[in-house]
Amino acid sequence: MTRVFSGIKPTGHLTLGNYLGAVRQWAAVDQHRAESLFCVVDLHALTVDHDPARVCRLSRQAATLLLAAGLDPAVCTLFVQSHVDEHARLAYLLECVATDGEMRRMIQYKEKAAQEQRRGGSVRLSLLTYPVLMAADILAYRTDEVPVGDDQAQHVELTRDLAERFNQRYGPVFTVPSAVLPPVAARVMNLQDPAAKMGKSDDTGPGIVYLLDEPEAVRRTVMRAVTDSGEDVAYDREERPGVANLLEILSACSGRTPQELAAEYDSYGALKKDTAEAVVEELRPLRERHAELAADPGYVDGVLRTGAERARALARPTVDSAYRAIGLLPPA
């Protein structure tokens, strides 16, 4: 059976972009078509300056939201990365296979390092090497497919390169995975800056819809969305990115194509209003289910405990094989 792995980083409150670009697909499709593992990748949240209590709180919130979105622990495996030691064990071996040049070519490293330097902060070594940890997350489970947004496709390509290099040098240990991109709304953009994705790390951004926002907050954010010059509503990602973003969000909520929807509107105001209502209704059941789960933390803890046990049992044989293959002495 095909094995799928994907993760979400607890660096901020989850957004509409996370949901439409990844989480909804995990719940509706991926967990049912494959043996699926979904992970809150909390170790990745340590690559930049952070508040420890906040990372802990956001990790629990992310896991709760994944359950609220429809991940079924009877069907898939949901766990927290740091609860399974094999991720960190394998990451070091892969650092011994990766090169400095590969790490420095990663687009996200360049962007985030520049942001840190502009703030006057120092860049942590883990920010440079975290794509190797991401590769370990994937390869530990002999993953076949990795559902990702298009901004993460480069990291899956690195994972493929590291798997092939390790297998060639030391023997056939790892499955070489493929990236799977969602067909629509793969990258929901910031409603105030359609050149930037709707990222969860920008907690003060006025162009971001968070999954737990109240309906009125959602409506305000969408109605204030930046549009483009011109009078007509047309779907053109290059020339009309603001309108294209609204049309793609409405498309993802309605199941109709952006082109079809564009033909029905003659004003930006009507498009914004319908998009806002569609988003409110899309998020309503998720918010209600999250409230129920948040009131029962013991249940969430139990899901994560069982998920970590399952994940550990899957990952340990592969990681032990990698240790033997690379030449490490087995424990007595």
Side-chain angles (χ1 to χ4, degrees), residues 88-106:
R89 288 180 63 207
L90 181 55
Y92 181 72
L93 297 197
L94 295 179
E95 284 186 6
C96 297
V97 176
T99 69
D100 176 76
E102 285 175 316
M103 297 299 98
R104 295 188 187 280
R105 284 195 296 272
M106 293 290 106

Side-chain angles (χ1 to χ4, degrees), residues 37-98:
L37 298 101
F38 300 107
C39 183
V40 178
V41 287
D42 55 343
L43 295 176
H44 290 289
L46 311 185
T47 59
V48 294
D49 190 33
H50 63 278
D51 174 3
R54 185 170 185 268
V55 169
C56 187
R57 184 171 65 253
L58 289 175
S59 296
R60 174 179 289 280
Q61 184 186 88
T64 306
L65 278 167
L66 293 179
L67 290 170
L71 291 189
D72 183 349
V75 175
C76 68
T77 300
L78 174 62
F79 65 105
V80 174
Q81 179 190 31
S82 64
H83 295 178
V84 180
D85 293 345
E86 279 63 32
H87 293 251
R89 288 180 63 207
L90 181 55
Y92 181 72
L93 297 197
L94 295 179
E95 284 186 6
C96 297
V97 176

